[in-house]
């Protein structure tokens, strides 16, 4: 499946365990992209955000957004949903990473293992001047 993937996303700890890749997140993302031959590879590193790289480009880092953590379970799935949302809206890799860390932060503000954020709430959080993601009150 990896050979057919356009974008590969992997937690840094999984890159170490599964692919034997360790070190600086930018280097890990670059080597992951090369090993899988994907157009882009993204390495997540929890509270430090995520780093992505496209074929022939330098790595891009997107820091995690400060947020009120109510429940972190499901944040990884929300990260992936944010990446997919960005890709479906023709965003570049930098913007996709921003969408991903923002949706992951929004997910952390609610109980349960899935994001309850709407597209409108994601867009509003992306437009907010602050790096802090306020809790979604439901």
């Amino acid at each position: 499946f990896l050979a057919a993937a356009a974008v590969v996303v992997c937690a840094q700890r999984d890159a170490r365990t599964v692919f034997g890749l360790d070190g600086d997140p930018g280097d890990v993302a670059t080597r992951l992209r090369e090993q899988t031959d994907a157009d882009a590879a993204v390495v997540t590193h929890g509270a430090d955000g995520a780093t992505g790289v496209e074929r022939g480009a330098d790595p891009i880092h997107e820091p995690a957004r400060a947020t009120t953590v109510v429940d972190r379970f499901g944040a990884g799935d929300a990260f992936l949903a944010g990446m997919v949302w960005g890709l479906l809206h023709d965003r570049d890799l930098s913007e996709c990473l921003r969408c991903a860390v923002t949706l992951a932060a929004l997910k952390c503000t609610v109980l349960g293992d899935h994001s309850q954020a709407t597209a409108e709430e994601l867009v509003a959080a992306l437009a907010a001047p602050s790096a802090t993601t306020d809790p979604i009150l439901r």
Side-chain angles (χ1 to χ4, degrees):
F1 290 117
L2 287 175
V7 179
V8 174
V9 180
C10 185
Q12 188 161 3
R13 69 180 177 280
D14 295 335
R16 182 175 38 257
T17 303
V18 175
F19 297 100
L21 302 175
D22 202 7
D24 172 77
D27 293 337
V28 172
T30 299
R31 290 184 288 153
L32 180 63
R33 199 218 55 76
E34 291 167 352
Q35 278 189 18
T36 61
D37 199 33
D39 294 330
V42 174
V43 174
T44 62
H45 27 101
D48 292 326
T51 302
V53 66
E54 293 178 294
R55 187 183 311 272
D58 291 329
I60 302 165
H61 174 73
E62 182 66 33
R65 291 185 65 145
T67 193
T68 302
V69 177
V70 174
D71 188 350
R72 69 175 185 80
F73 290 105
D77 292 337
F79 180 93
L80 288 172
M83 281 291 300
V84 170
W85 187 89
L87 290 166
L88 290 174
H89 287 84
D90 297 320
R91 308 263 178 134
D92 64 21
L93 181 60
S94 178
E95 292 171 327
C96 287
L97 289 172
R98 194 161 163 260
C99 292
V101 299
T102 301
L103 192 56
L106 286 170
K107 167 29 217 111
C108 288
T109 68
V110 295
L111 285 173
D113 63 352
H114 67 279
S115 176
Q116 298 177 27
T118 64
E120 292 78 18
E121 289 168 328
L122 175 58
V123 169
L126 289 167
S130 169
T132 300
T133 305
D134 293 326
I136 299 172
L137 302 176
R138 298 222 188 277

